[in-house]
Amino acid sequence: MKLRDWISVAAGATALMAVAAAMPAAADENKLEELKAQGFARIAIANEPPFTAVGADGKVSGAAPDVAREVFKRLGVADVAASISEYGAMIPGLQAGRHDAITAGLFMKPERCSAVAYSEPILCDAEAFALKKGNPLGLKSYKDIADNPDAKIGAPGGGTEEKLALEAGVPRDRVIVVPDGQSGLKMLQDGRIDVYSLPVLSIHSLLEKANDPTLEVVAPVEGAPVYCDGAAFRKGDEALRDAFDVELAKMKESGEFAKIIEPYGFSAKAAMSTSREKLCAAK
Ligand code: 6CS
């Protein structure tokens, strides 16, 4: 084949790929029927109480899975089956078909809203720091960490706190990826990080269990927004997401939603006073 023929074939293939990439994922109207037949919905969680938790016996709890389990039950899907994932891997896992939904406290932000189909808001929280008693470096904001060349922050990989630190100007080599709460606590106690950042309820849950008098909490982190999550579905599964939202709205209306999340410390009012539209548009 002459060079000019190769070039025209390549150009055609490129054009075809561009068209395919621009097309939305095929809408799957039967996803809910698939889940009913499967008997469970595969959910991604992080095991970060009180948002999500896995007990020693393997039992999955936490506000996000408990809400999801109840909504799916009302939709005719008997249960949920959870797999633990790093926050940064949840959306790729959903898109690759490893999960049917993310119910983990994955906060709604514009870049995430463009990658998944979020439900209406479920769990809202501010951000917090766990640090040495007396806050010796005087860290109250992500900018304070950026301004102190000796300060190292630990945060979940691909998580909101990592992004907030980088956006505040903390250099990459002073933002340490922490896989889970226990690791973050240990790194703080060993002095490998000066501050560990998670949402307020997660930090309080961690420190209450640690019962370590050498640590304290700064909350809320100055200048950081209050975020809310929703259940996240694959683009193309909007019919499933819409069905989830119908049942979620009924539970919010009946008080059942508050009964599930408020014992964990979350506010039903906070979730009901905002919307996916507002949160996905927030700067
Ligand atoms: O959505 C996030 O990225 C954050 N959400 C929770 C519940 N914990 C940490 C994480 O960075």
Side-chain angles (χ1 to χ4, degrees):
M1 186 187 281
K2 291 191 181 63
L3 176 60
R4 66 167 179 276
D5 297 336
W6 270 117
I7 289 169
S8 59
V9 166
T14 307
L16 267 179
M17 281 190 290
V19 167
M23 285 167 72
D28 184 347
E29 301 297 324
N30 301 319
K31 183 71 180 181
L32 178 51
E33 294 313 311
E34 286 167 29
L35 296 185
K36 285 179 180 175
Q38 183 173 268
F40 56 87
R42 297 168 302 154
I43 58 170
I45 68 170
N47 194 13
E48 182 191 301
F51 287 87
T52 58
V54 181
D57 58 359
K59 188 175 177 320
V60 174
S61 63
D66 284 3
V67 168
R69 187 183 286 112
E70 180 57 28
V71 172
F72 277 120
K73 198 163 71 177
R74 292 167 181 234
L75 289 172
V77 182
D79 203 354
V80 294
S83 52
I84 295 176
S85 165
E86 186 185 73
Y87 288 100
M90 290 178 179
I91 291 178
L94 179 75
Q95 292 171 332
R98 285 195 292 278
H99 315 298
D100 301 311
I102 300 169
T103 62
L106 192 76
F107 292 142
M108 284 192 228
K109 296 185 288 183
E111 66 274 19
R112 288 174 173 173
C113 293
S114 60
V116 300
Y118 267 112
S119 73
E120 287 299 332
I122 297 175
L123 304 176
C124 302
D125 202 359
E127 296 291 356
F129 288 161
L131 30 70
K132 288 289 188 201
K133 189 94 181 146
N135 194 356
L137 300 183
L139 304 175
K140 296 183 182 157
S141 68
Y142 294 102
K143 185 167 181 320
D144 289 342
I145 300 169
D147 294 345
N148 182 328
D150 300 325
K152 284 193 177 74
I153 176 174
T160 297
E161 299 73 27
E162 178 189 50
K163 194 161 176 11
L164 287 168
L166 293 169
E167 284 173 349
V170 184
R172 179 73 258 184
D173 64 348
R174 292 201 281 122
V175 182
I176 315 302
V177 171
V178 176
D180 56 59
Q182 288 312 314
S183 307
L185 204 55
K186 185 85 176 58
M187 291 165 80
L188 193 55
Q189 290 164 331
D190 295 350
R192 282 182 285 155
I193 54 177
D194 303 287
V195 52
Y196 180 39
S197 186
L198 288 175
V200 174
L201 287 169
S202 306
I203 284 286
H204 277 301
S205 169
L206 198 59
L207 264 58
E208 272 153 29
K209 289 180 193 123
N211 195 18
D212 180 341
T214 69
L215 302 177
E216 74 176 37
V217 176
V218 167
V221 172
E222 286 176 11
V226 170
Y227 290 102
C228 299
D229 86 328
F233 298 88
R234 199 176 53 83
K235 287 280 189 196
D237 287 345
E238 283 78 3
L240 174 62
R241 187 277 308 277
D242 294 345
F244 188 98
D245 270 345
V246 166
E247 295 308 323
L248 178 62
K250 288 180 193 168
M251 287 166 60
K252 285 179 175 180
E253 186 57 33
S254 70
E256 179 66 25
F257 173 69
K259 267 194 219 140
I260 295 174
I261 72 167
E262 293 192 343
Y264 285 107
F266 295 98
S267 157
K269 186 166 176 282
M272 294 165 70
S273 62
T274 185
S275 68
R276 169 177 61 239
E277 187 184 6
K278 284 184 197 160
L279 293 163
C280 287
K283 279 285 162 259

